Amino acid sequence: MRSWGPRLLIAGALIVAGATGYFAWKGWSPSEPDRALTFEVRWQNQWLRLARTSETTPWAIVAAQPPLPAEVQANPNQVMKILDLMAALLRSAKEDSAISHDTLEQAGVIPPALALVAGATQFHFGRRNGPRAYLYRPDNKRLIMASPSLLDYFQRQGIEGLLDLRLTAFETDDIESLKAQGQCRALDLQRDGDHWVVHSGGLSSGAVDEYLDRITNISRKPVAQGTATPSTPPWCEITIRGRDSVAHSIRIWHGPDGALMTAAPGGGLFQVKATDLAWLD
């Protein structure tokens, strides 16, 4: 009886080789962006440059405009989301007609509304055209029509969407104790196995997880360079202690325009929407 195993393996290899050859002939590789070790975004007046040493190591912020405090890190899930979208666009993109400089200007890709560079793959997004948008590839001189999903992402999130801007690096399950004092609600919480002991603050044990979820998911924005930490006592000071006795202290002041400013665990000063912290009262 004949064995089909080797034949199936050869057939599969030929299919993969044929697909790889097709994409190479078209001038792009669908898997290239999500395997890149460098990544750069230019959006409006902002830009962000990231790098990693291998596909399994974290992304590090190399440079940014406006500059970011040293403690701000890249959000790996959001970065990979963008790289995956780039790879998906390469697979589904449709080539447009012959390219001239006038064509590129009419397409709105000089200068681009959004520029993405992942390794050797370059995306310059231009204007929208119906349900799609013009996308120019400077690395292979091709103009294509593509989904505007990446444009939509940066219109909603901006470059901040690629940053980990949570108030604290702790996850809810990592927290062992929390104390809050000042003009905000005073709290003293201690984990005891799978349960919480509320020493003060009036929270029910069931409401503690919701409180901690809110703390760990607060988003922040860096304030302008040169902004000094207030010299007055903070409106609220929250000390969070995690496993292995690692502690973070978060200090909050009322800032200009009704916002709140916080001194993050690393010492940097950030801005938080007042509405995001109203529940602390």
Side-chain angles (χ1 to χ4, degrees):
M1 188 174 185
R2 293 182 179 179
S3 173
W4 288 94
R7 296 189 181 190
L8 290 174
L9 288 174
I10 293 171
L14 288 173
I15 290 171
V16 171
T20 303
Y22 170 77
F23 282 112
W25 173 72
K26 295 293 287 183
W28 59 67
S29 166
S31 62
E32 181 182 330
D34 47 338
R35 300 180 62 186
L37 301 184
T38 58
F39 181 49
E40 184 171 335
V41 183
R42 291 182 180 271
W43 168 252
Q44 296 179 349
N45 296 323
Q46 299 177 304
W47 58 267
L48 177 69
R49 189 175 299 136
L50 307 175
R52 57 181 176 174
T53 55
S54 73
E55 293 179 37
T56 59
T57 55
W59 286 98
I61 296 175
V62 177
Q65 184 61 44
L68 294 169
E71 58 268 21
V72 174
Q73 298 180 352
N75 185 324
N77 294 330
Q78 291 301 306
V79 173
M80 291 311 300
K81 177 179 180 178
I82 297 302
L83 296 178
D84 288 341
L85 283 173
M86 290 179 70
L89 285 186
L90 291 179
R91 290 190 288 265
S92 62
K94 297 180 179 179
E95 274 191 57
D96 200 29
S97 56
I99 305 171
S100 67
H101 189 273
D102 289 342
T103 302
L104 296 180
E105 286 191 335
Q106 291 170 8
V109 297
I110 301 178
L114 167 67
L116 302 170
V117 181
T121 304
Q122 301 178 47
F123 279 13
H124 284 189
F125 276 94
R127 66 178 179 83
R128 296 172 185 263
N129 186 1
R132 302 174 78 80
Y134 284 104
L135 172 57
Y136 179 53
R137 294 280 312 281
D139 49 318
N140 65 3
K141 310 301 182 185
R142 294 181 185 273
L143 182 66
I144 59 181
M145 296 299 295
S147 163
S149 55
L150 285 164
L151 277 172
D152 293 340
Y153 176 92
F154 285 98
Q155 283 178 339
R156 291 192 310 269
Q157 305 280 352
I159 283 182
E160 289 82 3
L162 301 179
L163 305 176
D164 186 352
L165 293 176
R166 293 177 303 161
L167 195 65
T168 172
F170 282 122
E171 301 290 345
T172 301
D173 292 341
D174 297 329
I175 298 175
E176 292 292 320
S177 67
L178 180 146
K179 289 185 178 181
Q181 56 188 352
Q183 298 178 49
C184 57
R185 169 187 279 187
L187 283 175
D188 188 352
L189 311 174
Q190 183 74 43
R191 188 188 292 274
D192 183 11
D194 295 332
H195 305 284
W196 283 97
V197 177
V198 181
H199 295 295
S200 64
L203 280 184
S204 66
S205 57
V208 171
D209 284 338
E210 180 182 356
Y211 180 96
L212 296 179
D213 282 341
R214 285 181 164 183
I215 283 284
T216 55
N217 285 288
I218 292 173
S219 295
R220 62 190 183 178
K221 282 191 174 183
V223 298
Q225 280 194 314
T227 304
T229 300
S231 58
T232 56
W235 171 76
C236 185
E237 184 165 0
I238 302 172
T239 303
I240 303 174
R241 191 171 298 277
R243 303 184 193 280
D244 301 323
S245 298
V246 176
H248 286 175
S249 180
I250 301 169
R251 294 173 294 162
I252 304 170
W253 293 267
H254 284 287
D257 303 322
L260 294 171
M261 293 187 294
T262 69
L269 197 62
F270 293 86
Q271 190 170 25
V272 180
K273 292 181 181 178
T275 53
D276 287 346
L277 296 180
W279 49 273
L280 283 171
D281 287 327

